[in-house]
């Protein structure tokens, strides 16, 4: 049943008609519930509310698989402006972005030019930029880009996905960079040739990656709503005397708010992923596909208050 639900929501995420309807009519409905707003300016009040509750934030301008150089450049300038506003407004926020939004599928030199501009601004303002991981065809290119920029910049991190067979080796290969890593289960539909098809195997690999990353001394973000993963991490850091300054929990905006607050109260750092923009529909459907429990979390968030 879980596999059927996953496939259903992934199918919906690629429905262009529903996406267009959501862009035209759904932005205001989703704002402040599952996304911050339709732009960064309208999201800032929600970010401040989270900060005032002891929660850190990472923001992401939704939209990927850009096939126009003009749009990729626009996304770049928007990201630069966001970083500058975060610094100016003194928000406790980082920035996440996808390489396809900066032109990865268009031209190698284009994405490097755009990423250089963003990271120059990030370094100047001491704002961390996380390169989100995408689907398997873009995985190696994303890791290669991260490696190259990590040689020059400090305000850069990336994401590894536990459902891929290759990720354990990727984590080992990145060890020499002592990277800031966000570990996730993974949200794309992949072949059993490259990804664990069974949830229990993904969970076990996720735990293995968390342990490996933390014991290697990496600053590690555990991005999960799964209580078992959260409890596993708590026990692991206690067993190995890993300080709370070496890791954080990350969760989605509008989901598991009580759990986020409880973790903060217990002394853990929690960062909330706050997406914004008109392209929220595909993002929302993929979150539903990741884990059936997200459906109830999301609807509670949508209809709260």
């Amino acid at each position: 049943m879980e596999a059927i639900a996953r496939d259903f929501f992934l199918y919906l995420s690629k429905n262009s008609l529903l996406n267009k309807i959501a862009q035209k009519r759904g932005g205001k409905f989703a704002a402040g519930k599952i996304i911050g707003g339709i732009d960064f300016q309208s999201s800032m009040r929600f970010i401040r509310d989270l900060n005032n509750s002891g929660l850190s934030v990472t923001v992401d301008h939704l939209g990927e698989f850009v096939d126009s150089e003009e749009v990729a450049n626009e996304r770049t300038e928007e990201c630069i402006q966001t970083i500058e506003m975060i610094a100016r407004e003194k928000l406790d926020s980082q920035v996440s972005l996808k390489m396809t939004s900066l032109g990865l599928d268009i031209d190698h030199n284009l994405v490097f030019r755009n990423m250089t501009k963003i990271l120059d601004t990030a370094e100047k303002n001491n704002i961390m930029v996380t390169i989100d991981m995408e689907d398997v065809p873009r995985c190696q290119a994303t890791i290669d880009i991260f490696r190259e920029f990590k040689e020059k910049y400090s305000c850069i991190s990336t994401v590894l996905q536990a459902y891929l067979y290759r990720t354990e080796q990727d984590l080992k290969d990145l060890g020499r960079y002592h990277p800031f890593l966000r570990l996730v289960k993974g949200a794309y539909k992949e072949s059993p040739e490259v990804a664990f098809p069974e949830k229990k195997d993904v969970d076990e690999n996720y735990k293995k990656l968390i342990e490996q990353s933390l014991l290697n001394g990496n600053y590690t973000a555990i991005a999960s709503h799964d209580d078992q993963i959260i409890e596993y991490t708590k026990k692991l850091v206690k067993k190995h005397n890993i300080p709370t300054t070496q890791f954080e929990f990350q969760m989605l905006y509008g989901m598991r708010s009580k759990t986020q607050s409880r973790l903060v109260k217990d002394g853990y750092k929690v960062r909330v992923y706050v997406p914004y923009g008109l392209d929220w529909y595909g993002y929302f459907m993929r979150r539903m596909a990741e884990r059936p429990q997200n459906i109830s979390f999301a609807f509670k968030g949508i209809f709260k208050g």
Side-chain angles (χ1 to χ4, degrees), residues 77-108:
E77 291 307 312
E78 198 280 336
C79 188
I80 288 170
Q81 291 172 18
T82 295
I83 292 170
E84 291 173 341
M85 279 193 280
I86 288 171
R88 185 167 61 249
E89 298 294 327
K90 294 181 171 56
L91 300 173
D92 180 2
S93 179
Q94 300 177 353
V95 172
S96 294
L97 51 77
K98 290 180 171 62
M99 292 294 90
T100 52
S101 73
L102 303 185
L104 180 63
D105 292 349
I106 303 170
D107 179 70
H108 181 82

Side-chain angles (χ1 to χ4, degrees), residues 199-232:
K199 178 183 180 299
K200 62 180 177 62
D201 296 323
V202 176
D203 289 350
E204 287 307 307
N205 197 46
Y206 197 10
K207 292 175 183 177
K208 184 190 298 183
L209 296 172
I210 292 169
E211 180 176 27
Q212 183 178 333
S213 183
L214 287 171
L215 293 183
N216 285 349
N218 302 330
Y219 187 88
T220 306
I222 297 91
S224 178
H225 296 160
D226 190 328
D227 287 325
Q228 291 186 351
I229 295 297
I230 293 169
E231 291 306 312
Y232 168 81

Side-chain angles (χ1 to χ4, degrees), residues 174-188:
L174 291 174
R176 74 181 185 89
Y177 297 98
H178 301 291
F180 174 170
L181 295 172
R182 179 196 299 159
L183 302 181
V184 303
K185 289 189 179 181
Y188 294 90

Side-chain angles (χ1 to χ4, degrees), residues 34-176:
I34 57 174
I35 63 172
I38 59 173
D39 54 29
F40 183 73
Q41 190 76 32
S42 61
S43 303
M44 285 201 295
R45 66 187 180 99
F46 301 112
I47 296 170
R48 284 197 183 94
D49 287 344
L50 292 167
N51 288 170
N52 290 337
S53 298
L55 296 157
S56 299
V57 168
T58 187
V59 295
D60 184 358
H61 184 194
L62 293 170
E64 53 194 293
F65 307 127
V66 167
D67 58 7
S68 160
E69 182 172 343
E70 180 181 2
V71 173
N73 291 336
E74 288 174 356
R75 291 293 176 87
T76 300
E77 291 307 312
E78 198 280 336
C79 188
I80 288 170
Q81 291 172 18
T82 295
I83 292 170
E84 291 173 341
M85 279 193 280
I86 288 171
R88 185 167 61 249
E89 298 294 327
K90 294 181 171 56
L91 300 173
D92 180 2
S93 179
Q94 300 177 353
V95 172
S96 294
L97 51 77
K98 290 180 171 62
M99 292 294 90
T100 52
S101 73
L102 303 185
L104 180 63
D105 292 349
I106 303 170
D107 179 70
H108 181 82
N109 291 327
L110 173 64
V111 75
F112 265 76
R113 285 199 306 272
N114 286 337
M115 194 61 181
T116 297
K117 292 178 183 178
I118 289 170
L119 288 175
D120 283 344
T121 306
E123 291 283 311
K124 178 182 176 181
N125 292 283
N126 194 32
I127 303 293
M128 181 65 70
V129 174
T130 297
I131 301 177
D132 279 337
M133 189 55 70
E134 301 182 66
D135 55 0
V136 162
R138 297 166 178 86
C139 182
Q140 188 60 52
T142 301
I143 289 176
D144 290 344
I145 289 169
F146 169 73
R147 282 175 170 160
E148 186 157 346
F149 280 108
K150 185 62 177 171
E151 296 282 357
K152 182 179 178 182
Y153 297 95
S154 59
C155 290
I156 182 171
S157 65
T158 194
V159 179
L160 295 178
Q161 299 167 314
Y163 70 164
L164 298 182
Y165 302 137
R166 61 172 289 166
T167 301
E168 184 177 3
Q169 187 60 50
D170 287 335
L171 180 56
K172 291 178 182 176
D173 292 343
L174 291 174
R176 74 181 185 89

Side-chain angles (χ1 to χ4, degrees), residues 1-14:
M1 191 66 185
E2 186 172 313
I4 294 172
R6 176 182 172 84
D7 289 347
F8 174 68
F9 282 109
L10 287 174
Y11 169 76
L12 290 179
S13 74
K14 298 176 182 178

